[in-house]
Amino acid sequence: MTSKIHAAITGVQGYVPDYILTNAELEKMVDTNDEWIRTRTGIEQRHILKGEGQGTSVMGIEAVKGLLEKTDTDPGEVELVICATVTPDMVFPDTANIIADETGMKNAFCYDIHAACSGFLYALTTAARFIESGAHKKVIVVGGDKMSSIIDYTDRTTCVIFGDGAGAVLLEATEEPVGIMDALLKSDGSGREYLYQKAGGSRYPATADTVANREHFVFQNGRPVFKAAVSGMSDVVTQVMQRNGLSADDIAWLVPHQANKRIIETVARMANFPMERVMVNIHRYGNTTAGTLPLCLWDWEGQLKKGDNIILTAFGGGFTWGAVYLKWAY
Ligand SMILES: CC(C)(COP(=O)(O)OP(=O)(O)OC[C@H]1O[C@@H](n2cnc3c(N)ncnc32)[C@H](O)[C@@H]1OP(=O)(O)O)[C@@H](O)C(=O)NCCC(=O)NCCS
């Protein structure tokens, strides 16, 4: 009898750019204030990638370099690189290709996934399937966004929320019962009217008008997104725990997408998690879209123990959402 192959995270590394955009600086840019931002979102600062010609790959490359080094991985052994991002360096080629080229992963095939804030969960699950099928043994998943490239810094309803950052994980095949145990991913295209970037795709290619009308920036109708995020994430987290016979007491950490601290607190309450076991770093980074989950794992890596049950959950544009149950492998 052959044992089931599991896909285990065997390393994580993050990267955020040096420049810190504080609430105080935003107060000078739009009609907002530190108190509103902290109490309505939980955000105190976000990191911004500055400089001409600097795309999301810059952050992904730094994260991957650190990951390869700390896991002592030969870049030539990595067989697949998936990059989750809604802010690719260019429409094509994929940012994953650029990251792989710059980090020496010459034998990997590479592609991007665009699933907004759920991108990392979608990419992680897809990568796990490639490993569980026996097709590949070493895969790198990058989640990262340069949200500052699609944010309108005259729109106070979005510019206070988002930041730039990236994280990367190494996934390896193992026959030990650790790694990705279950995933429940969802999409509902009818939610697209509440959160989108109108122009720059094939429907509305860039013109002088699309630029003048500020259509290359994120549009969000916050309240319906807030409600859908709370119900969507609490629903999939509860379902994943139930179908694996787990209660919140069995879970070491809940790792939620970092879009709004009030959303995180409500989801935790609805799924019966005490906040001491919920990863929250939104105050430092804001919402880095596909970057939030790997940045959480990176920040908490030192506290994680082999065998810890962890639930990741996210919600984002599309709508897209989901939950992944994994057992920490080291
Ligand atoms: C965006 C979000 C923070 C707004 O918070 P909210 O409590 O819903 O606030 P509202 O949009 O209802 O606005 C309340 C008031 O604050 C004002 N406001 C909005 N942004 C503000 C800011 N940065 N500073 C000060 N006031 C602001 C609004 O204009 C509104 O004023 P009004 O009542 O006079 O019209 C919140 O809706 C949210 O987090 N949504 C979900 C985000 C998400 O999960 N996205 C998915 C993943 S990306």
Side-chain angles (χ1 to χ4, degrees):
M1 200 182 94
T2 51
S3 327
K4 185 181 182 316
I5 304 170
H6 288 280
I9 294 178
T10 53
V12 57
Q13 184 74 18
Y15 177 82
V16 286
D18 292 336
Y19 189 87
I20 292 177
L21 175 59
T22 60
N23 291 351
E25 191 177 348
L26 281 163
E27 283 180 3
K28 295 185 199 126
M29 297 159 65
V30 288
D31 179 16
T32 190
N33 58 79
D34 177 54
E35 215 247 321
W36 192 96
I37 302 172
R38 279 173 198 258
T39 54
R40 303 309 291 166
T41 72
I43 301 166
E44 294 169 18
Q45 60 174 49
R46 58 301 281 145
H47 291 250
I48 301 293
L49 183 63
K50 297 265 187 185
E52 192 155 341
Q54 306 285 293
T56 295
S57 72
V58 168
M59 300 182 291
I61 289 163
E62 287 305 318
V64 167
K65 274 186 186 162
L67 179 66
L68 292 170
E69 198 179 309
K70 78 195 274 193
T71 57
D72 202 15
T73 301
D74 171 357
E77 284 178 11
V78 178
E79 300 163 86
L80 165 63
V81 180
I82 308 177
C83 178
T85 186
V86 288
T87 51
D89 281 31
M90 292 176 270
V91 174
F92 71 91
D94 284 9
T95 299
N97 287 52
I98 300 169
I99 294 171
D101 182 51
E102 293 290 333
T103 53
M105 296 191 283
K106 299 289 181 203
N107 298 314
F109 76 102
C110 313
Y111 63 91
D112 289 358
I113 283 186
H114 305 250
C117 297
S118 309
F120 182 77
L121 275 194
Y122 279 34
L124 183 70
T125 306
T126 315
R129 300 297 182 241
F130 275 107
I131 287 178
E132 291 158 3
S133 69
H136 300 299
K137 291 192 167 53
K138 279 186 205 281
V139 178
I140 284 184
V141 176
V142 182
D145 273 292
K146 183 187 172 187
M147 292 307 290
S148 61
S149 65
I150 54 168
I151 291 299
D152 181 351
Y153 285 95
T154 66
D155 175 4
R156 68 175 182 174
T157 68
T158 51
C159 74
V160 301
I161 298 173
F162 292 96
D164 302 340
V169 297
L170 177 64
L171 272 183
E172 291 187 87
T174 176
E175 293 196 356
E176 280 190 69
V178 292
I180 314 299
M181 310 307 284
D182 195 12
L184 177 57
L185 303 179
K186 301 268 193 177
S187 303
D188 177 2
S190 70
R192 67 190 184 280
E193 68 178 284
Y194 302 112
L195 183 51
Y196 58 83
Q197 179 190 326
K198 184 172 177 182
S202 56
R203 193 185 288 199
Y204 300 106
T207 63
D209 282 345
T210 62
V211 173
N213 295 334
R214 313 186 80 74
E215 290 168 357
H216 293 268
F217 295 123
V218 170
F219 167 85
Q220 175 169 256
N221 182 353
R223 278 186 200 183
V225 179
F226 188 108
K227 277 193 195 157
V230 167
S231 62
M233 285 192 284
S234 55
D235 180 48
V236 287
V237 166
T238 309
Q239 277 192 59
V240 163
M241 288 199 300
Q242 270 172 4
R243 74 188 193 184
N244 288 281
L246 299 165
S247 76
D249 291 343
D250 302 314
I251 309 295
W253 294 100
L254 177 67
V255 191
H257 173 52
Q258 311 282 305
N260 186 317
K261 189 154 180 248
R262 289 183 296 135
I263 295 177
I264 297 171
E265 287 166 348
T266 313
V267 169
R269 196 169 55 245
M270 288 171 80
N272 287 321
F273 279 90
M275 285 307 289
E276 304 81 68
R277 287 191 280 118
V278 180
M279 294 187 192
V280 181
N281 59 14
I282 189 171
H283 53 291
R284 294 168 58 204
Y285 306 131
N287 181 353
T288 55
T289 303
T292 64
L293 297 179
L295 284 173
C296 278
L297 294 175
W298 180 50
D299 278 350
W300 267 264
E301 187 188 21
Q303 296 180 53
L304 303 179
K305 294 188 287 296
K306 186 169 181 175
D308 275 354
N309 288 325
I310 295 175
I311 304 260
L312 310 174
T313 187
F315 186 94
F319 290 142
T320 56
W321 70 104
V324 165
Y325 159 43
L326 62 85
K327 273 188 187 291
W328 199 246
Y330 60 98

